[in-house]
C-alpha cells in the first residue's frame, strides 16, 4: 500500500498571491502544488515554473492540461522546461477537456468524446517519442524516461486509457449531466467510484500495482456538527450526487467532520478505493493542512520533510 501524498490545486485564488501560497503550502506539509488548464485563468506552466522557483521540496503538476489545447511538440517543450527548472519535480497531468464553452471561446473544434480520447492517446505516444534521447526535444526532462504521467479520467474510455498509460490516475468524480447546460455536473457516489476503481485495476492487469490513485476533493470542512455542515454543503453544490446531507457524508469527494474524523476517513478511503494521493482546491488548503499530520500519525508514516 502506498504512503499518502497531499496536493493543493490553484483555484479561485489571486494569481498575485501564488508565490506566497506555494511557499506556505510547502511549510504546511503538502507534497505537490498543482495548476489547472482553463481559459480565463493563469497559464499552468508559468504557474508551475514560479512554484518551482520559490520552493525546494514540493513537486509541481498540472491537474490537468487540456490535451485539445496543445500541440504535442509545444507541450513537450513546456513540460521539459519546467521539469529541468524544477530539478525534476514535474508531474504532467493530461485530460481530454470537458468545458465546451472554453473550446468555443478559443475557436477550437469541439470533437466527440471518443475522438478526444483517441487524440489524447496519440499525444501520449508522441510525447514519449519526443522525450526519448533522440526524439528531438531539447532540453530533455530531468526525469527519465519522462515526468510521471497523471491522466484525469472518469468515463470508461478515459479510465481504460489511463489504465494503459498513466503512472497516476486522477479521479475527480464529476460527469457532465446529459442534456443539461455545459458545466452542470453529477458527482459519483461511493458505489460508482468503487466500480470505476475496480475497472481500472481490471484494465491495467499486471501493471495495476504500479499505478498511484489520486482523488480531487471538492470540499473540506472541519466541524463538530458534520450532519448540519453536510446539509449546508448540499445546498451549496445542489448537484446530483451531492444534493442531500447523506450523499455528502457518503461521498469520496467531500470531507466533513472533525480533523480526526476526516483523517480516519482518508485512511479508510485508501483501503476502500486505493486513494493515497489526496488533493483539494486552494480555498480548502488550510482545512486539509490540519488533517495531514493526523493522517500521517495514524498511518504511521513520516512527514513530508522526512520523506524529501
Amino acid at each position: 500500500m502506498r504512503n499518502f501524498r497531499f496536493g493543493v490545486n490553484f483555484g479561485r485564488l489571486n494569481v498575485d498571491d501564488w508565490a506566497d501560497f506555494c511557499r506556505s503550502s510547502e511549510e504546511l506539509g503538502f507534497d505537490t502544488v498543482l495548476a489547472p488548464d482553463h481559459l480565463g485563468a493563469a497559464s499552468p506552466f508559468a504557474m508551475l515554473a514560479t512554484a518551482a522557483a520559490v520552493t525546494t521540496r514540493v513537486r509541481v503538476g498540472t491537474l490537468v492540461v487540456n490535451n485539445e489545447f496543445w500541440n504535442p511538440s509545444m507541450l513537450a517543450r513546456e513540460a521539459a522546461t519546467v521539469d529541468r527548472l524544477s530539478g525534476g519535480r514535474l508531474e504532467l497531468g493530461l485530460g481530454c477537456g470537458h468545458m465546451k464553452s472554453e473550446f468555443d471561446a478559443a475557436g477550437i473544434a469541439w470533437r466527440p468524446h471518443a475522438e478526444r480520447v483517441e487524440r489524447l492517446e496519440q499525444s501520449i505516444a508522441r510525447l514519449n517519442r519526443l522525450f526519448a534521447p533522440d526524439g528531438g526535444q531539447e532540453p530533455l526532462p530531468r526525469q527519465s524516461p519522462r515526468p510521471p504521467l497523471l491522466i484525469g479520467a472518469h468515463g470508461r474510455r478515459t479510465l481504460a486509457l489511463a489504465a494503459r498509460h498513466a503512472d497516476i490516475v486522477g479521479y475527480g468524480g464529476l460527469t457532465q449531466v446529459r442534456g443539461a447546460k455545459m458545466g452542470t455536473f453529477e458527482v459519483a457516489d461511493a458505489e460508482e467510484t468503487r466500480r470505476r476503481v475496480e475497472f481500472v485495476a481490471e484494465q491495467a492487469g499486471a501493471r495495476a500495482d504500479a499505478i498511484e490513485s489520486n482523488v480531487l476533493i471538492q470540499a473540506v470542512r472541519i466541524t463538530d456538527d458534520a450532519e448540519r455542515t453536510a446539509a449546508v454543503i448540499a445546498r451549496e453544490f445542489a448537484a446530483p450526487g451531492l444534493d442531500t446531507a447523506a450523499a455528502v457524508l457518503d461521498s469520496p469527494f467531500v470531507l466533513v467532520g472533525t480533523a480526526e474524523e476526516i483523517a480516519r476517513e482518508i485512511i479508510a478511503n485508501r483501503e476502500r478505493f486505493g486513494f493515497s494521493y489526496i488533493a483539494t482546491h486552494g480555498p480548502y488548503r488550510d482545512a486539509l493542512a490540519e488533517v495531514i499530520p493526523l493522517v500521517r500519525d495514524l498511518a504511521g508514516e513520516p512527514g513530508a520533510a522526512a520523506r524529501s
Side-chain angles (χ1 to χ4, degrees):
M1 185 171 294
R2 289 179 177 270
N3 283 356
F4 284 107
R5 294 202 295 149
F6 295 90
V8 59
N9 189 38
F10 174 82
R12 300 189 294 280
L13 300 173
N14 187 332
V15 69
D16 295 330
D17 299 329
W18 175 242
D20 288 339
F21 183 86
C22 293
R23 291 188 194 97
S24 56
S25 295
E26 184 171 62
E27 292 168 359
L28 287 168
F30 283 89
D31 300 282
T32 57
V33 290
L34 304 156
D37 184 17
H38 291 295
L39 291 186
S43 164
F45 290 105
M47 297 284 281
L48 297 184
T50 298
V54 301
T55 60
T56 60
R57 175 188 56 78
V58 293
R59 296 182 67 77
V60 298
T62 51
L63 197 67
V64 290
V65 162
N66 183 340
N67 179 66
E68 293 292 302
F69 288 178
W70 293 86
N71 174 288
S73 295
M74 303 299 288
L75 180 58
R77 182 189 69 176
E78 300 299 304
T81 302
V82 171
D83 196 53
R84 288 293 286 268
L85 291 174
S86 67
R89 288 187 277 155
L90 177 68
E91 295 174 1
L92 181 59
L94 302 178
C96 296
H98 64 273
M99 295 292 290
K100 183 176 182 297
S101 59
E102 294 185 0
F103 286 71
D104 294 341
I108 296 173
W110 174 252
R111 295 179 171 87
H113 182 255
E115 187 174 343
R116 301 202 309 277
V117 174
E118 181 180 357
R119 285 166 57 85
L120 176 56
E121 188 155 31
Q122 292 169 354
S123 290
I124 293 168
R126 177 63 177 152
L127 286 169
N128 287 338
R129 291 195 295 272
L130 287 164
F131 289 148
D134 57 351
Q137 168 58 41
E138 290 293 340
L140 285 170
R142 177 68 61 87
Q143 298 175 95
S144 180
R146 55 160 170 74
L149 178 63
L150 181 151
I151 296 178
H154 188 70
R156 291 175 72 87
R157 285 193 181 96
T158 44
L159 288 170
L161 183 151
R164 292 192 296 273
H165 299 289
D167 302 297
I168 308 164
V169 177
Y171 296 89
L174 304 182
T175 304
Q176 171 68 34
V177 176
R178 289 183 180 274
K181 178 182 176 182
M182 291 302 296
T184 304
F185 297 112
E186 178 177 0
V187 183
D189 62 15
E191 180 59 25
E192 179 64 19
T193 301
R194 182 190 61 77
R195 287 196 296 269
R196 293 182 183 276
V197 167
E198 290 177 351
F199 176 75
V200 169
E202 292 166 2
Q203 293 291 307
R207 69 183 302 267
D209 288 343
I211 298 175
E212 185 176 26
S213 293
N214 163 273
V215 59
L216 180 57
I217 301 297
Q218 302 299 325
V220 184
R221 301 282 176 83
I222 294 178
T223 175
D224 291 328
D225 191 339
E227 289 76 11
R228 176 179 288 184
T229 303
V232 172
I233 293 173
R235 291 195 295 271
E236 290 175 354
F237 279 84
L242 287 181
D243 49 0
T244 68
V248 169
L249 292 172
D250 188 52
S251 175
F253 302 100
V254 177
L255 296 172
V256 183
T258 65
E260 182 172 346
E261 287 170 344
I262 290 174
R264 294 188 183 281
E265 182 176 355
I266 288 171
I267 292 170
N269 283 347
R270 183 174 64 174
E271 293 282 349
R272 189 176 184 186
F273 306 110
F275 295 155
S276 60
Y277 182 5
I278 318 300
T280 195
H281 299 292
Y284 305 109
R285 181 197 68 169
D286 291 354
L288 184 57
E290 289 188 42
V291 177
I292 290 173
L294 296 176
V295 172
R296 289 176 170 151
D297 183 57
L298 290 168
E301 296 178 2
R307 293 199 309 276
S308 62

